[in-house]
């Protein structure tokens, strides 16, 4: 049984795990804008143009590759945009000149892009694209956030100097080290994949890690599931289950978390890793 105080342990949980690079990946922003720099410069001549439709037509006839900038001006990553109104529907292609110039002019007019350029709403198209790229990059935050806890755990695993493996399936562990894990594999029917596996001379440790900044039903389900794994893992010699979790979302799901905490000896948070728990756990 866990001899630590749950309330004291829970009080060390973090509200956020966001690193400085979480909010915007500026390297990616700069790279995306730089790829279109020449085409953006060509379309930049439309800013404040007195006869914008004629000038746009001239640019498109000479440099049709400028089309690929247009979706970005609307904060769209795709090279196809479907639009419809009372005059009909059109699936616009921007990877190449697939429609007539008149059709593209209609698109620019109806979406408001001509108005924005013609009336000096912006002064520099490249700076505008940079701003759009920052906004689009914010959509990637979820993916970056999903890996932050795993990256943090891996950092401390490397620091501890242990032999570890990433994203290893239960069946792989059985084959690699000739160990019977049927007690936690539902008699071989489970295809469970562990975030990390640590191998020491005397034990195999499987590690699950997650971070929950907000509450929800998933937290209770996770706690109940890991409680069952913790109980099943005790039946296997030379094998341990480790759960590393954190986040303010656990405040509302503390009851189920505490039940697992009382069963699972090797349950840790970020503060535990900072205090060197891996050095003693994997010795």
């Amino acid at each position: 049984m866990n001899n630590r105080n749950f309330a004291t342990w829970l009080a060390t949980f973090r509200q956020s795990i966001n690193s400085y690079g979480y909010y915007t990946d500026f390297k990616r922003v700069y790279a995306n804008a730089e790829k279109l720099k020449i085409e953006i410069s060509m379309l930049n001549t439309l800013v404040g143009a007195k006869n914008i439709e004629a000038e746009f037509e001239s640019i498109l006839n000479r440099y049709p590759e400028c089309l690929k900038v247009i979706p970005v001006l609307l904060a769209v990553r795709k090279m196809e945009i479907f639009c419809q109104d009372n005059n009909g529907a059109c699936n616009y292609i921007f990877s190449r000149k697939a429609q007539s110039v008149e059709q593209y002019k209609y698109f620019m007019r109806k979406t408001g892009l001509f108005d924005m350029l013609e009336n000096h709403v912006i002064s520099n198209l490249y700076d505008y694209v940079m701003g759009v790229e920052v906004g689009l990059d914010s959509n990637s935050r979820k993916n970056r956030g999903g890996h932050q806890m795993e990256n943090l755990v891996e950092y401390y695993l490397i620091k501890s100097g242990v032999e570890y493996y990433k994203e290893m399936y239960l069946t792989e562990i059985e084959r690699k080290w000739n160990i019977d894990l049927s007690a936690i594999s539902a008699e071989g029917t489970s295809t469970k994949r562990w975030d990390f596996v640590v191998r020491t001379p005397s034990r195999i440790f499987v590690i699950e890690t997650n971070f929950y900044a907000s509450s929800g039903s998933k937290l209770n389900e996770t706690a109940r599931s890991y409680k069952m794994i913790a109980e099943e893992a005790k039946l296997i010699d030379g094998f341990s289950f480790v759960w590393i979790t954190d986040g303010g979302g656990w405040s509302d799901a503390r009851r189920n978390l505490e039940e697992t905490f009382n069963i699972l000896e090797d349950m840790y948070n970020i503060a535990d890793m900072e205090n060197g728990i891996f050095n003693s756990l994997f010795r």
Side-chain angles (χ1 to χ4, degrees):
M1 299 291 289
N2 207 318
N3 57 10
R4 294 178 296 165
N5 181 272
F6 175 76
T8 302
W9 180 69
L10 186 65
T12 64
F13 273 36
R14 310 286 168 84
Q15 292 300 311
S16 172
I17 196 178
N18 297 337
S19 63
Y20 290 101
Y22 163 78
Y23 298 96
T24 299
D25 183 350
F26 279 106
K27 286 185 178 179
R28 181 180 177 184
V29 168
Y30 298 151
N32 287 342
E34 191 66 22
K35 283 187 295 186
L36 297 172
K37 189 173 183 178
I38 294 174
E39 292 81 1
I40 293 169
S41 297
M42 292 176 183
L43 291 183
N44 196 57
T45 61
L46 297 176
V47 175
K50 290 182 170 53
N51 191 352
I52 194 168
E53 294 200 17
E55 292 190 33
F56 176 74
E57 182 174 346
S58 176
I59 291 172
L60 215 55
N61 285 332
R62 295 178 64 187
Y63 309 106
E65 61 270 22
C66 289
L67 282 169
K68 58 189 177 184
V69 177
I70 294 174
V72 180
L73 302 183
L74 296 174
V76 176
R77 288 280 185 218
K78 298 182 297 182
M79 285 290 109
E80 294 186 19
I81 299 178
F82 179 86
C83 292
Q84 65 179 27
D85 60 10
N86 293 334
N87 291 323
C90 181
N91 188 42
Y92 290 88
I93 309 297
F94 295 98
S95 56
R96 66 185 190 281
K97 192 177 177 182
Q99 277 96 23
S100 68
V101 174
E102 287 301 318
Q103 191 70 55
Y104 287 118
K105 284 160 67 174
Y106 188 79
F107 179 90
M108 297 290 286
R109 191 183 314 119
K110 297 295 286 187
T111 57
L113 287 174
F114 271 159
D115 181 67
M116 179 185 74
L117 294 166
E118 187 178 27
N119 293 307
H120 266 295
V121 175
I122 62 170
S123 58
N124 183 288
L125 200 55
Y126 187 81
D127 291 344
Y128 171 83
V129 170
M130 287 281 287
V132 170
E133 285 292 342
V134 169
L136 287 173
D137 185 73
S138 68
N139 296 328
S140 301
R141 287 177 188 167
K142 184 176 181 181
N143 292 332
R144 287 196 291 271
H147 294 290
Q148 284 190 111
M149 189 63 170
E150 289 179 19
N151 293 341
L152 189 61
V153 171
E154 186 170 18
Y155 166 78
Y156 285 105
L157 286 173
I158 293 171
K159 191 176 180 180
S160 69
V162 297
E163 174 190 351
Y164 76 94
Y165 303 81
K166 290 181 67 174
E167 298 181 345
M168 202 170 188
Y169 284 96
L170 188 148
T171 51
E172 292 179 286
I173 299 171
E174 289 183 313
R175 288 196 301 267
K176 187 173 182 64
W177 291 296
N178 192 30
I179 184 173
D180 180 8
L181 300 180
S182 58
I184 60 172
S185 68
E187 297 301 323
T189 61
S190 172
T191 57
K192 172 68 179 172
R193 186 180 70 177
W194 306 96
D195 293 332
F196 297 98
V197 177
V198 171
R199 171 65 171 168
T200 70
S202 59
R203 299 190 77 76
I204 295 171
F205 297 85
V206 294
I207 303 172
E208 283 294 279
T209 179
N210 39 52
F211 185 95
Y212 295 107
S214 57
S215 59
S217 59
K218 185 178 180 180
L219 283 77
N220 289 322
E221 293 170 9
T222 300
R224 284 192 291 265
S225 173
Y226 288 177
K227 178 184 176 182
M228 183 167 56
I229 292 174
E231 292 172 331
E232 293 168 343
K234 292 178 181 179
L235 303 175
I236 306 171
D237 291 333
F239 181 86
S240 293
F241 170 53
V242 180
W243 183 18
I244 304 168
T245 192
D246 212 309
W250 283 113
S251 296
D252 293 333
R254 57 179 296 157
R255 180 175 298 178
N256 281 296
L257 185 67
E258 185 173 9
E259 288 180 5
T260 308
F261 180 86
N262 291 333
I263 293 293
L264 180 56
E265 183 72 26
D266 295 318
M267 187 169 171
Y268 308 108
N269 62 12
I270 294 172
D272 292 323
M273 291 192 295
E274 291 175 342
N275 292 329
I277 188 61
F278 287 169
N279 295 329
S280 56
L281 180 63
F282 303 131
R283 68 176 185 272

